[in-house]
mmCIF file of all heavy atoms in Angstrom:
data_model
loop_
_atom_site.group_PDB
_atom_site.id
_atom_site.type_symbol
_atom_site.label_atom_id
_atom_site.label_comp_id
_atom_site.label_asym_id
_atom_site.label_seq_id
_atom_site.Cartn_x
_atom_site.Cartn_y
_atom_site.Cartn_z
ATOM 1 N N ALA A 100 18.648 44.595 -111.902
ATOM 2 C CA ALA A 100 18.093 45.220 -110.695
ATOM 3 C C ALA A 100 18.309 44.345 -109.463
ATOM 4 O O ALA A 100 18.655 44.841 -108.386
ATOM 5 C CB ALA A 100 16.601 45.492 -110.889
ATOM 6 N N TYR A 104 20.554 45.189 -106.173
ATOM 7 C CA TYR A 104 19.954 45.168 -104.835
ATOM 8 C C TYR A 104 20.879 44.432 -103.855
ATOM 9 O O TYR A 104 21.143 44.909 -102.749
ATOM 10 C CB TYR A 104 18.586 44.486 -104.892
ATOM 11 C CG TYR A 104 17.942 44.281 -103.544
ATOM 12 C CD1 TYR A 104 17.212 45.298 -102.938
ATOM 13 C CD2 TYR A 104 18.064 43.068 -102.867
ATOM 14 C CE1 TYR A 104 16.616 45.116 -101.692
ATOM 15 C CE2 TYR A 104 17.481 42.869 -101.628
ATOM 16 C CZ TYR A 104 16.760 43.895 -101.051
ATOM 17 O OH TYR A 104 16.188 43.702 -99.816
ATOM 18 N N LEU A 137 23.777 53.855 -102.143
ATOM 19 C CA LEU A 137 22.807 54.807 -102.684
ATOM 20 C C LEU A 137 22.848 54.827 -104.211
ATOM 21 O O LEU A 137 21.805 54.904 -104.866
ATOM 22 C CB LEU A 137 23.103 56.204 -102.127
ATOM 23 C CG LEU A 137 22.120 57.314 -102.459
ATOM 24 C CD1 LEU A 137 20.723 56.966 -101.963
ATOM 25 C CD2 LEU A 137 22.589 58.630 -101.853
ATOM 26 N N CYS A 139 23.595 52.294 -106.128
ATOM 27 C CA CYS A 139 22.900 51.071 -106.563
ATOM 28 C C CYS A 139 21.393 51.275 -106.546
ATOM 29 O O CYS A 139 20.688 50.885 -107.497
ATOM 30 C CB CYS A 139 23.268 49.893 -105.655
ATOM 31 S SG CYS A 139 24.976 49.351 -105.763
ATOM 32 N N VAL A 140 20.901 51.875 -105.474
ATOM 33 C CA VAL A 140 19.461 52.092 -105.326
ATOM 34 C C VAL A 140 18.940 53.040 -106.414
ATOM 35 O O VAL A 140 17.861 52.827 -106.981
ATOM 36 C CB VAL A 140 19.150 52.648 -103.921
ATOM 37 C CG1 VAL A 140 17.732 53.169 -103.834
ATOM 38 C CG2 VAL A 140 19.359 51.563 -102.870
ATOM 39 N N ASN A 141 19.713 54.075 -106.707
ATOM 40 C CA ASN A 141 19.303 55.011 -107.757
ATOM 41 C C ASN A 141 19.278 54.334 -109.124
ATOM 42 O O ASN A 141 18.408 54.629 -109.959
ATOM 43 C CB ASN A 141 20.249 56.218 -107.788
ATOM 44 C CG ASN A 141 19.961 57.191 -106.658
ATOM 45 O OD1 ASN A 141 18.832 57.294 -106.197
ATOM 46 N ND2 ASN A 141 20.969 57.899 -106.203
ATOM 47 N N GLU A 142 20.226 53.419 -109.370
ATOM 48 C CA GLU A 142 20.220 52.654 -110.614
ATOM 49 C C GLU A 142 18.955 51.798 -110.707
ATOM 50 O O GLU A 142 18.323 51.717 -111.756
ATOM 51 C CB GLU A 142 21.462 51.753 -110.673
ATOM 52 C CG GLU A 142 22.732 52.455 -111.078
ATOM 53 C CD GLU A 142 22.782 52.767 -112.562
ATOM 54 O OE1 GLU A 142 22.962 51.850 -113.381
ATOM 55 O OE2 GLU A 142 22.612 53.958 -112.903
ATOM 56 N N ILE A 143 18.597 51.165 -109.594
ATOM 57 C CA ILE A 143 17.389 50.327 -109.569
ATOM 58 C C ILE A 143 16.149 51.167 -109.880
ATOM 59 O O ILE A 143 15.260 50.730 -110.627
ATOM 60 C CB ILE A 143 17.250 49.628 -108.199
ATOM 61 C CG1 ILE A 143 18.385 48.615 -107.999
ATOM 62 C CG2 ILE A 143 15.889 48.930 -108.087
ATOM 63 C CD1 ILE A 143 18.460 48.033 -106.603
ATOM 64 N N LYS A 144 16.086 52.361 -109.315
ATOM 65 C CA LYS A 144 14.938 53.248 -109.557
ATOM 66 C C LYS A 144 14.800 53.588 -111.041
ATOM 67 O O LYS A 144 13.683 53.745 -111.552
ATOM 68 C CB LYS A 144 15.087 54.532 -108.736
ATOM 69 C CG LYS A 144 14.865 54.338 -107.246
ATOM 70 C CD LYS A 144 15.157 55.598 -106.461
ATOM 71 C CE LYS A 144 14.154 56.674 -106.703
ATOM 72 N NZ LYS A 144 14.377 57.852 -105.837
ATOM 73 N N GLN A 145 15.931 53.681 -111.738
ATOM 74 C CA GLN A 145 15.901 53.966 -113.173
ATOM 75 C C GLN A 145 15.484 52.729 -113.976
ATOM 76 O O GLN A 145 14.863 52.844 -115.032
ATOM 77 C CB GLN A 145 17.292 54.425 -113.638
ATOM 78 C CG GLN A 145 17.786 55.711 -113.015
ATOM 79 C CD GLN A 145 16.916 56.904 -113.354
ATOM 80 O OE1 GLN A 145 16.493 57.077 -114.485
ATOM 81 N NE2 GLN A 145 16.637 57.723 -112.357
ATOM 82 N N LEU A 147 13.584 49.881 -112.897
ATOM 83 C CA LEU A 147 12.276 49.262 -112.644
ATOM 84 C C LEU A 147 11.176 49.672 -113.630
ATOM 85 O O LEU A 147 10.452 48.796 -114.133
ATOM 86 C CB LEU A 147 11.832 49.540 -111.208
ATOM 87 C CG LEU A 147 12.573 48.765 -110.110
ATOM 88 C CD1 LEU A 147 12.045 49.146 -108.733
ATOM 89 C CD2 LEU A 147 12.439 47.252 -110.313
ATOM 90 N N SER A 159 8.682 41.847 -103.319
ATOM 91 C CA SER A 159 8.474 43.010 -102.453
ATOM 92 C C SER A 159 9.759 43.778 -102.174
ATOM 93 O O SER A 159 9.726 44.976 -101.895
ATOM 94 C CB SER A 159 7.833 42.574 -101.130
ATOM 95 O OG SER A 159 8.677 41.700 -100.409
ATOM 96 N N ASP A 160 10.926 43.100 -102.259
ATOM 97 C CA ASP A 160 12.171 43.830 -102.005
ATOM 98 C C ASP A 160 12.568 44.720 -103.181
ATOM 99 O O ASP A 160 13.511 45.506 -103.075
ATOM 100 C CB ASP A 160 13.318 42.870 -101.636
ATOM 101 C CG ASP A 160 13.523 41.754 -102.644
ATOM 102 O OD1 ASP A 160 12.974 41.854 -103.756
ATOM 103 O OD2 ASP A 160 14.234 40.784 -102.328
ATOM 104 N N LEU A 161 11.833 44.615 -104.313
ATOM 105 C CA LEU A 161 12.032 45.548 -105.426
ATOM 106 C C LEU A 161 10.818 46.455 -105.605
ATOM 107 O O LEU A 161 10.721 47.172 -106.605
ATOM 108 C CB LEU A 161 12.304 44.788 -106.731
ATOM 109 C CG LEU A 161 13.706 44.183 -106.907
ATOM 110 C CD1 LEU A 161 13.851 43.594 -108.310
ATOM 111 C CD2 LEU A 161 14.813 45.186 -106.641
ATOM 112 N N ASN A 162 9.908 46.410 -104.644
ATOM 113 C CA ASN A 162 8.776 47.336 -104.645
ATOM 114 C C ASN A 162 9.324 48.761 -104.659
ATOM 115 O O ASN A 162 10.214 49.103 -103.890
ATOM 116 C CB ASN A 162 7.937 47.078 -103.383
ATOM 117 C CG ASN A 162 6.795 48.044 -103.234
ATOM 118 O OD1 ASN A 162 7.003 49.226 -102.978
ATOM 119 N ND2 ASN A 162 5.581 47.545 -103.361
ATOM 120 N N LEU A 163 8.807 49.601 -105.555
ATOM 121 C CA LEU A 163 9.369 50.939 -105.728
ATOM 122 C C LEU A 163 9.293 51.770 -104.442
ATOM 123 O O LEU A 163 10.198 52.574 -104.152
ATOM 124 C CB LEU A 163 8.662 51.671 -106.869
ATOM 125 C CG LEU A 163 9.346 52.939 -107.391
ATOM 126 C CD1 LEU A 163 10.795 52.656 -107.779
ATOM 127 C CD2 LEU A 163 8.589 53.523 -108.577
ATOM 128 N N SER A 164 8.240 51.562 -103.661
ATOM 129 C CA SER A 164 8.138 52.280 -102.386
ATOM 130 C C SER A 164 9.265 51.875 -101.445
ATOM 131 O O SER A 164 9.864 52.711 -100.757
ATOM 132 C CB SER A 164 6.784 51.995 -101.719
ATOM 133 O OG SER A 164 5.740 52.564 -102.457
ATOM 134 N N TYR A 165 9.569 50.579 -101.416
ATOM 135 C CA TYR A 165 10.652 50.100 -100.560
ATOM 136 C C TYR A 165 12.005 50.615 -101.049
ATOM 137 O O TYR A 165 12.869 50.977 -100.258
ATOM 138 C CB TYR A 165 10.648 48.570 -100.514
ATOM 139 C CG TYR A 165 11.802 47.988 -99.727
ATOM 140 C CD1 TYR A 165 11.965 48.282 -98.376
ATOM 141 C CD2 TYR A 165 12.738 47.160 -100.327
ATOM 142 C CE1 TYR A 165 13.025 47.764 -97.651
ATOM 143 C CE2 TYR A 165 13.800 46.621 -99.616
ATOM 144 C CZ TYR A 165 13.944 46.932 -98.279
ATOM 145 O OH TYR A 165 14.999 46.424 -97.570
ATOM 146 N N ILE A 166 12.202 50.671 -102.365
ATOM 147 C CA ILE A 166 13.442 51.200 -102.918
ATOM 148 C C ILE A 166 13.590 52.676 -102.543
ATOM 149 O O ILE A 166 14.685 53.146 -102.197
ATOM 150 C CB ILE A 166 13.485 51.009 -104.454
ATOM 151 C CG1 ILE A 166 13.502 49.513 -104.802
ATOM 152 C CG2 ILE A 166 14.694 51.706 -105.055
ATOM 153 C CD1 ILE A 166 14.683 48.741 -104.225
ATOM 154 N N ASN A 167 12.482 53.421 -102.577
ATOM 155 C CA ASN A 167 12.516 54.827 -102.146
ATOM 156 C C ASN A 167 12.805 54.932 -100.653
ATOM 157 O O ASN A 167 13.476 55.862 -100.203
ATOM 158 C CB ASN A 167 11.195 55.516 -102.473
ATOM 159 C CG ASN A 167 11.090 55.906 -103.932
ATOM 160 O OD1 ASN A 167 12.080 56.305 -104.543
ATOM 161 N ND2 ASN A 167 9.897 55.809 -104.500
ATOM 162 N N LEU A 168 12.291 53.977 -99.899
ATOM 163 C CA LEU A 168 12.586 53.928 -98.461
ATOM 164 C C LEU A 168 14.090 53.774 -98.244
ATOM 165 O O LEU A 168 14.701 54.512 -97.459
ATOM 166 C CB LEU A 168 11.822 52.768 -97.827
ATOM 167 C CG LEU A 168 11.903 52.538 -96.313
ATOM 168 C CD1 LEU A 168 10.701 51.729 -95.859
ATOM 169 C CD2 LEU A 168 13.168 51.792 -95.901
ATOM 170 N N LEU A 169 14.703 52.816 -98.952
ATOM 171 C CA LEU A 169 16.147 52.608 -98.838
ATOM 172 C C LEU A 169 16.917 53.854 -99.266
ATOM 173 O O LEU A 169 17.907 54.238 -98.629
ATOM 174 C CB LEU A 169 16.582 51.423 -99.702
ATOM 175 C CG LEU A 169 16.163 50.025 -99.248
ATOM 176 C CD1 LEU A 169 16.696 48.974 -100.235
ATOM 177 C CD2 LEU A 169 16.689 49.724 -97.853
ATOM 178 N N HIS A 170 16.454 54.484 -100.327
ATOM 179 C CA HIS A 170 17.093 55.703 -100.827
ATOM 180 C C HIS A 170 17.194 56.756 -99.726
ATOM 181 O O HIS A 170 18.274 57.318 -99.468
ATOM 182 C CB HIS A 170 16.282 56.235 -102.015
ATOM 183 C CG HIS A 170 16.691 57.588 -102.500
ATOM 184 N ND1 HIS A 170 17.652 57.777 -103.460
ATOM 185 C CD2 HIS A 170 16.269 58.831 -102.140
ATOM 186 C CE1 HIS A 170 17.816 59.070 -103.680
ATOM 187 N NE2 HIS A 170 16.984 59.723 -102.893
ATOM 188 N N ASN A 171 16.075 57.003 -99.058
ATOM 189 C CA ASN A 171 16.056 58.016 -98.004
ATOM 190 C C ASN A 171 16.796 57.554 -96.753
ATOM 191 O O ASN A 171 17.461 58.355 -96.086
ATOM 192 C CB ASN A 171 14.608 58.388 -97.670
ATOM 193 C CG ASN A 171 14.001 59.270 -98.725
ATOM 194 O OD1 ASN A 171 14.261 60.475 -98.763
ATOM 195 N ND2 ASN A 171 13.183 58.688 -99.588
ATOM 196 N N TYR A 172 16.708 56.279 -96.447
ATOM 197 C CA TYR A 172 17.385 55.740 -95.262
ATOM 198 C C TYR A 172 18.898 55.847 -95.408
ATOM 199 O O TYR A 172 19.597 56.246 -94.470
ATOM 200 C CB TYR A 172 16.956 54.288 -95.063
ATOM 201 C CG TYR A 172 17.568 53.602 -93.867
ATOM 202 C CD1 TYR A 172 17.487 54.173 -92.593
ATOM 203 C CD2 TYR A 172 18.209 52.378 -93.998
ATOM 204 C CE1 TYR A 172 18.043 53.535 -91.494
ATOM 205 C CE2 TYR A 172 18.765 51.740 -92.904
ATOM 206 C CZ TYR A 172 18.681 52.325 -91.657
ATOM 207 O OH TYR A 172 19.237 51.690 -90.569
ATOM 208 N N PHE A 173 19.423 55.506 -96.580
ATOM 209 C CA PHE A 173 20.868 55.586 -96.803
ATOM 210 C C PHE A 173 21.363 57.032 -96.735
ATOM 211 O O PHE A 173 22.434 57.315 -96.198
ATOM 212 C CB PHE A 173 21.241 54.971 -98.158
ATOM 213 C CG PHE A 173 21.048 53.477 -98.236
ATOM 214 C CD1 PHE A 173 20.921 52.856 -99.468
ATOM 215 C CD2 PHE A 173 20.976 52.702 -97.094
ATOM 216 C CE1 PHE A 173 20.740 51.473 -99.555
ATOM 217 C CE2 PHE A 173 20.794 51.326 -97.159
ATOM 218 C CZ PHE A 173 20.677 50.713 -98.395
ATOM 219 N N ILE A 214 7.112 56.356 -95.398
ATOM 220 C CA ILE A 214 6.885 55.366 -96.451
ATOM 221 C C ILE A 214 6.427 54.043 -95.842
ATOM 222 O O ILE A 214 5.492 53.410 -96.333
ATOM 223 C CB ILE A 214 8.157 55.169 -97.298
ATOM 224 C CG1 ILE A 214 8.443 56.419 -98.132
ATOM 225 C CG2 ILE A 214 8.005 53.951 -98.221
ATOM 226 C CD1 ILE A 214 9.773 56.385 -98.873
ATOM 227 N N MET A 218 2.520 51.972 -96.097
ATOM 228 C CA MET A 218 2.397 50.643 -96.699
ATOM 229 C C MET A 218 1.368 49.819 -95.936
ATOM 230 O O MET A 218 1.696 49.079 -95.021
ATOM 231 C CB MET A 218 3.752 49.926 -96.672
ATOM 232 C CG MET A 218 4.771 50.488 -97.643
ATOM 233 S SD MET A 218 6.325 49.546 -97.528
ATOM 234 C CE MET A 218 7.232 50.219 -98.915
ATOM 235 N N PHE A 223 5.598 43.166 -96.455
ATOM 236 C CA PHE A 223 6.623 42.364 -95.797
ATOM 237 C C PHE A 223 6.026 41.561 -94.637
ATOM 238 O O PHE A 223 4.986 41.928 -94.078
ATOM 239 C CB PHE A 223 7.735 43.266 -95.251
ATOM 240 C CG PHE A 223 8.158 44.347 -96.200
ATOM 241 C CD1 PHE A 223 8.015 45.684 -95.871
ATOM 242 C CD2 PHE A 223 8.696 44.029 -97.435
ATOM 243 C CE1 PHE A 223 8.400 46.678 -96.745
ATOM 244 C CE2 PHE A 223 9.083 45.032 -98.322
ATOM 245 C CZ PHE A 223 8.928 46.354 -97.975
#
Side-chain angles (χ1 to χ4, degrees):
Y104 174 84
L137 186 59
C139 293
V140 167
N141 283 331
E142 281 285 287
I143 293 171
K144 288 174 70 175
Q145 297 297 317
L147 287 179
S159 63
D160 53 14
L161 284 186
N162 176 291
L163 194 54
S164 292
Y165 176 61
I166 296 301
N167 281 323
L168 183 158
L169 290 180
H170 171 89
N171 284 281
Y172 180 53
F173 292 159
I214 291 173
M218 288 181 171
F223 317 118

